[in-house]
Amino acid sequence: MTDGGTQSVPAVSAGATESERRLAARKSIRGPVTLVFNGQHRVEVRADDISVTGLGVIIDRDLKTQLTCEIQLQLPGQGKVFKPHQVMGKTVSSTLSTSRGGFRIGLMFIQPASEFRQAVDAYIKR
């Protein structure tokens, strides 16, 4: 009985997270993004879309899901000035997209700072 309960907890948590991620409004965003794995391995990708819960990027190779990384990107701030942001994330999906020229990777933000969430929300509402 204990083993069954332990195994079901991750599935329930993952389902809630997936559901929440899909409910957030998304907006197309273009520009370079850097993913940093293990604090040292840097991967340059192209932004595709963003929501307050995550970011879609395009990359030339497939990435496993559940990889944690630092996401470095720029969002519009006051006026026409772009402000750099860093937020932790993890890969949650990967789909080959020939129309976009690579793999579309879905990243979920992990505990984003309120300043970052506000910047994303302001961008989406523009």
Side-chain angles (χ1 to χ4, degrees):
M1 187 86 167
T2 304
D3 289 340
T6 303
Q7 291 177 358
S8 66
V9 172
V12 171
S13 298
T17 302
E18 180 73 14
S19 174
E20 178 184 312
R21 183 177 67 86
R22 290 291 179 193
L23 292 176
R26 298 179 192 193
K27 184 172 181 177
S28 179
I29 187 170
R30 298 293 178 258
V33 174
T34 302
L35 306 180
V36 183
F37 296 92
N38 298 322
Q40 58 190 0
H41 183 72
R42 301 172 68 83
V43 179
E44 302 298 321
V45 301
R46 294 186 332 253
D48 187 43
D49 65 22
I50 192 166
S51 75
V52 292
T53 59
L55 177 71
V57 299
I58 305 299
I59 184 173
D60 61 358
R61 60 182 166 261
D62 195 9
L63 293 179
K64 293 180 184 178
T65 59
Q66 305 302 312
L67 295 176
T68 302
C69 62
E70 178 182 286
I71 303 167
Q72 300 173 351
L73 72 158
Q74 293 192 19
L75 293 172
Q78 297 287 351
K80 298 199 183 241
V81 176
F82 279 74
K83 182 176 179 188
H85 291 274
Q86 295 178 348
V87 62
M88 293 304 293
K90 74 174 179 178
T91 58
V92 293
S93 65
S94 176
T95 306
L96 178 59
S97 176
T98 53
S99 65
R100 291 182 173 124
F103 287 87
R104 186 184 183 290
I105 306 295
L107 297 157
M108 182 178 70
F109 300 133
I110 300 172
Q111 298 179 335
S114 63
E115 178 186 355
F116 176 75
R117 288 180 62 94
Q118 289 170 0
V120 172
D121 191 49
Y123 174 75
I124 291 171
K125 291 179 178 176
R126 292 174 90 177

